[in-house]
Amino acid sequence: MVYFEKSDALKRLPKQFFADLVVKTNAAIAKGYDVINLGQGNPDQPTPPHIVKSLQEAAANPLYHKYSPFRGYDFLKEAIATFYKREYDVSIDPKTEVAILFGSKTGLVEIGECMLNSGDTVLMPDPGYPDYLSGFALANLNMETMPLRAENAFLPDYASMPDPLLDKAKLMFLNYPNNPTSATAPADFFEETVKVAEKHNICVLHDFAYGALGFDGKKPRSFLQTPGAKEVGIETYTLSKTYNMAGWRVGFALGNKSIIEAIELFQDHYFVSLFGAIQEASAKALLGPQDCVRELVQRYETRRNAFFDAAKKIGWDAVPSQGSFFGWLPVAKGFTSESFFEYVLDKAHVVLAPGVGFGKGGENYVRIGLLSEPERLTEAIDRIGKLHLFD
Ligand SMILES: Cc1ncc(COP(=O)(O)O)c(C=O)c1O
């Protein structure tokens, strides 16, 4: 066989840090241990039945057996605009301010190629969601990090970023509720973001994947609720977490018309839009009863309370999550995030995601997923407690 070289763009793609962890986790499972895996971010609950039923019915419609319109069905874009008006009181023109995505990940990865040129600078939160890096690599961007520190409530500190850096930056990624830190963003932070973006001509992408998941009765804010946000950026949203539809691959981007047009143009050349029946069921999800979302938030909040109460009892001092379905906890003294992961997997058969996998700024932390029932979460803490790492 002739070995054909991959393109330079593919060679630039980052190594998948978490692939090694999956190998180590599977090795422990293969040895027969009852492994509690808190390392992943895959929603554990099924899609609500009324949404599944809607797909089943729509799948029989011959209209949907044809190619979908390239940019998606108008009824879905209109449903998205209605959803944003209802949930956030944000007005969106469904014709020019919405692009449908194959899961929000597609939008996050393609935006670099849509808006920037090779060598342009992008600002990345550190720690941050590693999939952003794939898009930076494909578009050959220069990445600069924005540290998210506990003392700044895991928000970037614009005042500490030099003007030349902000002048050079063309794109900024933000994500609240945040993966991995589980922090949420207050209104004044988004207001400051708009000011910084206007002053330095930066296009902002706010990743609102966990938009539905806020605790203690606090609904996370959409970036688009901020005056001027639509002038400087877009928000990406996904049905993956709000409606447990991760396998369906439905997301959307909305906001600034010029950015939306660039995404639509890019997608005209790469894809034909999602299966029409999925678009119909997605519109039903957005417009239909929302009790399922309230129940889901309650479920995650119950798990969060169980986990953090138990952690406190063993002396593991951590700030309970404000949103998302993650928890972000400091490692025990004397460990790095990777050595802590190894030790806890080896001795307690509990999988935690080492913070360093989300960037240097994640060192000394681990991320847990609230994606198991409370008994399993508290059992994980009991097992870690027996190691006396926090006494
Ligand atoms: C921060 C963040 N953004 C985006 C995504 C992508 O979600 P999807 O592609 O399913 O819409 C995820 C998924 O885990 C995520 O954690």
Side-chain angles (χ1 to χ4, degrees):
M1 187 195 82
V2 181
Y3 182 79
F4 294 101
E5 280 290 320
K6 294 185 182 65
S7 68
D8 291 345
L10 290 196
K11 286 187 195 156
R12 284 194 300 267
L13 286 170
K15 188 171 165 284
Q16 290 275 10
F17 177 85
F18 291 99
D20 279 358
L21 309 192
V22 172
V23 171
K24 287 181 183 155
T25 304
N26 289 343
I29 295 169
K31 281 188 200 148
Y33 295 123
D34 171 26
V35 173
I36 304 181
N37 190 348
L38 307 183
Q40 287 173 340
N42 207 342
D44 62 308
Q45 294 297 302
T47 306
H50 71 280
I51 304 173
V52 175
K53 189 157 171 272
S54 161
L55 173 65
Q56 285 165 336
E57 285 165 11
N61 182 347
L63 172 68
Y64 296 145
H65 302 167
K66 298 171 184 268
Y67 289 114
S68 302
F70 269 48
R71 297 186 174 195
Y73 282 97
D74 289 346
F75 66 74
L76 178 53
K77 292 186 168 182
E78 281 155 18
I80 290 165
T82 305
F83 172 82
Y84 254 67
K85 185 75 194 162
R86 186 190 74 216
E87 294 293 324
Y88 304 109
D89 198 22
V90 168
S91 298
I92 288 289
D93 176 1
K95 288 199 169 40
T96 57
E97 294 179 335
V98 181
I100 294 168
L101 305 170
F102 283 78
S104 60
K105 173 171 169 159
T106 320
L108 303 168
V109 173
E110 70 200 11
I111 182 97
E113 281 180 280
C114 290
M115 306 306 298
L116 271 57
N117 296 307
S118 177
D120 284 349
T121 295
V122 58
L123 296 173
M124 164 80 185
D126 179 19
Y129 181 51
D131 287 20
Y132 303 153
L133 303 179
S134 312
F136 306 165
L138 292 173
N140 204 17
L141 305 182
N142 167 45
M143 179 185 86
E144 303 278 351
T145 52
M146 301 187 290
L148 307 186
R149 299 202 176 91
E151 59 269 30
N152 294 327
F154 298 112
L155 301 166
D157 176 16
Y158 298 128
S160 72
M161 292 166 64
D163 268 356
L165 171 62
L166 291 167
D167 284 338
K168 197 169 65 157
K170 296 211 165 144
L171 176 64
M172 174 195 292
F173 273 66
L174 294 174
N175 163 228
Y176 294 96
N178 184 254
N179 178 8
T181 68
S182 77
T184 53
D188 58 357
F189 169 73
F190 282 148
E191 283 157 19
E192 198 190 348
T193 301
V194 170
K195 279 195 200 123
V196 168
E198 278 168 351
K199 180 167 173 211
H200 300 278
N201 203 15
I202 302 172
C203 155
V204 177
L205 184 149
H206 180 238
D207 173 358
F208 204 32
Y210 298 93
L213 308 181
F215 302 136
D216 307 314
K218 291 186 194 134
K219 188 181 171 89
R221 289 187 71 79
S222 158
F223 174 59
L224 300 181
Q225 287 174 292
T226 319
K230 247 203 273 180
E231 304 304 310
V232 294
I234 59 165
E235 184 155 271
T236 50
Y237 195 92
T238 176
L239 274 61
S240 297
K241 329 281 174 178
T242 309
Y243 303 103
N244 293 318
M245 289 169 64
W248 298 49
R249 312 309 304 133
V250 190
F252 49 89
L254 64 181
N256 183 288
K257 278 190 186 99
S258 59
I259 307 172
I260 295 298
E261 173 54 29
I263 293 174
E264 296 270 43
L265 178 63
F266 182 93
Q267 298 196 147
D268 285 346
H269 290 263
Y270 265 86
F271 315 115
V272 177
S273 189
L274 290 161
F275 178 35
I278 290 192
Q279 297 194 44
E280 186 173 319
S282 299
K284 292 249 168 71
L286 296 168
L287 301 178
Q290 301 296 304
D291 320 356
C292 54
V293 183
R294 285 186 284 275
E295 282 159 20
L296 186 67
V297 174
Q298 191 51 56
R299 181 185 287 270
Y300 288 134
E301 187 164 328
T302 304
R303 293 173 178 182
R304 178 205 63 166
N305 294 345
F307 182 86
F308 281 92
D309 287 352
K312 203 168 171 197
K313 283 197 193 116
I314 65 159
W316 196 357
D317 194 16
V319 181
S321 319
Q322 298 169 6
S324 80
F325 49 47
F326 297 114
W328 188 240
L329 297 98
V331 300
K333 274 204 190 73
F335 287 91
T336 64
S337 66
E338 270 184 289
S339 67
F340 192 68
F341 155 79
E342 303 254 1
Y343 190 79
V344 172
L345 175 60
D346 192 33
K347 305 280 185 219
H349 309 132
V350 173
V351 181
L352 311 163
V356 75
F358 302 93
K360 281 200 197 79
E363 187 50 282
N364 299 325
Y365 282 90
V366 282
R367 190 195 74 179
I368 61 105
L370 298 166
L371 299 164
S372 320
E373 293 304 354
E375 308 74 57
R376 203 72 181 143
L377 295 170
T378 49
E379 187 185 333
I381 292 286
D382 287 348
R383 291 191 200 174
I384 295 170
K386 292 200 178 101
L387 306 178
H388 300 288
L389 298 168
F390 301 99
D391 293 353

